[in-house]
Amino acid sequence: MPELPEVEHAARVLRAAIAGHRIVRVRVLHPALRRALPPSAQRRLTGRVVQDVVRRGKHQVLHLDNGTALVAHFRMTGDWAVGRVDEARERYARAELEVDDGTRVTLADPRALATLTLAADPADVLPVLGPEPDDASLTPASLAASLARRRGAIKPALLDQRVIAGVGNIYAAEALWRARIDPRTPARSLGAARLKRLIAAIRAVLRRAPAGRYQADVAVSRWNVYDREGLTCHRCGGTVKRIVQAGRSTYYCPKCQT
DNA sequence: ATAGGCCTGGAC
DNA sequence: GTCCAGGCCTAT
């Protein structure tokens, strides 16, 4: 589920649920998550007040009252579920945070690939990230500069979080469709005019994303190319094609993306 | 650049 | 059973 719009929503949900509250109990319910959040970190979390929750790329940073931070990343299937401590455990609950007013936030994650990391400083665990898509510093010139030394195609480059933070596989494909750019185009060959279109397209597809969590049934009707192999391009009547780039599916229309 | 690994569920 | 999955890391 989680690309930037969904993570943004999740961070808002989390902020509304626990910002300003003290963590009174931490549970880790899956061994894989236990690797990232050992008992010592669980103890250090307990008793802290969550001062704020901010999103950076697809990471969520929970700033705590002693200057440390809990960094969450949903990977493929993570999400928060907000409930009360007396309610039944969520399906796929991998970790739970209980705060001082009886609210319980559950990290629900079927594939258990999500990560929680407690850090003295969020900079210790956050990777180097490029500009946010809506940041004014993202310009055709800045994008050209960050693509200049790359060898590969534009689509995998868009998935590199150092280029632009928060663009995932679906929105990369959708943005390239909207900008009419072939995903196989060498990244460094794109000129200012196409980069300008690409930036506008990225912003547009992210803005038009559903506000809430990912829902496959809603999404299917929204995408122009993603998961539409063999179907008709809404724009030119061509046939949407699926290829694999850097191990990931890419969907595009060979007729109008050039 | 690509392959494999992390995990599990769902579609076939 | 097999293949696929919206992410990302490590090794080659």
Side-chain angles (χ1 to χ4, degrees), chain A residues 136-175:
Chain A
S137 70
L138 176 62
T139 64
S142 77
L143 189 52
S146 70
L147 296 177
R149 299 186 328 256
R150 301 189 71 98
R151 308 211 98 251
I154 182 61
K155 157 64 162 49
L158 287 178
L159 297 184
D160 185 336
Q161 302 296 295
R162 295 170 297 186
V163 174
I164 302 175
V167 177
N169 200 39
I170 294 178
Y171 293 120
E174 292 295 315

Side-chain angles (χ1 to χ4, degrees), chain A residues 61-183:
Chain A
V61 183
L62 288 70
H63 290 281
L64 307 174
D65 60 347
N66 62 351
T68 67
L70 182 66
V71 180
H73 195 297
F74 284 164
R75 297 286 188 112
M76 300 283 261
T77 53
D79 198 8
W80 303 120
V82 177
R84 308 286 306 168
V85 295
D86 54 6
E87 288 170 357
R89 179 154 293 158
E90 286 289 325
R91 194 172 182 203
Y92 305 123
R94 306 309 186 197
E96 294 172 343
L97 301 178
E98 295 178 2
V99 295
D100 54 15
D101 69 346
T103 297
R104 183 174 67 203
V105 171
T106 301
L107 174 59
D109 180 18
R111 285 176 68 180
L113 294 174
T115 57
L116 292 177
T117 313
L118 184 61
D121 183 327
D124 297 342
V125 297
L126 283 178
V128 174
L129 295 169
E132 297 284 330
D134 64 356
D135 196 296
S137 70
L138 176 62
T139 64
S142 77
L143 189 52
S146 70
L147 296 177
R149 299 186 328 256
R150 301 189 71 98
R151 308 211 98 251
I154 182 61
K155 157 64 162 49
L158 287 178
L159 297 184
D160 185 336
Q161 302 296 295
R162 295 170 297 186
V163 174
I164 302 175
V167 177
N169 200 39
I170 294 178
Y171 293 120
E174 292 295 315
L176 287 166
W177 178 85
R178 193 179 173 99
R180 298 181 183 244
I181 295 170
D182 187 320

Side-chain angles (χ1 to χ4, degrees), chain A residues 32-50:
Chain A
L33 190 53
R34 201 169 294 145
R35 281 201 297 275
L37 200 68
S40 60
Q42 297 171 41
R43 284 194 299 274
R44 279 179 284 146
L45 258 181
T46 307
R48 300 276 58 78
V49 173
V50 178

Side-chain angles (χ1 to χ4, degrees), chain A residues 174-210:
Chain A
E174 292 295 315
L176 287 166
W177 178 85
R178 193 179 173 99
R180 298 181 183 244
I181 295 170
D182 187 320
R184 300 166 298 178
T185 308
R188 61 178 173 188
S189 75
L190 291 168
R194 311 189 92 197
L195 291 177
K196 185 177 177 185
R197 257 168 39 214
L198 180 55
I199 291 169
I202 290 167
R203 289 174 174 157
V205 299
L206 291 174
R207 264 202 311 275
R208 287 164 43 87

Side-chain angles (χ1 to χ4, degrees), chain A residues 8 10-21 51-55:
Chain A
E8 178 67 33
R12 283 208 192 101
V13 166
L14 186 61
R15 188 181 309 126
I18 67 171
H21 289 282
Q51 292 188 315
D52 199 6
V53 179
V54 282
R55 179 192 61 74

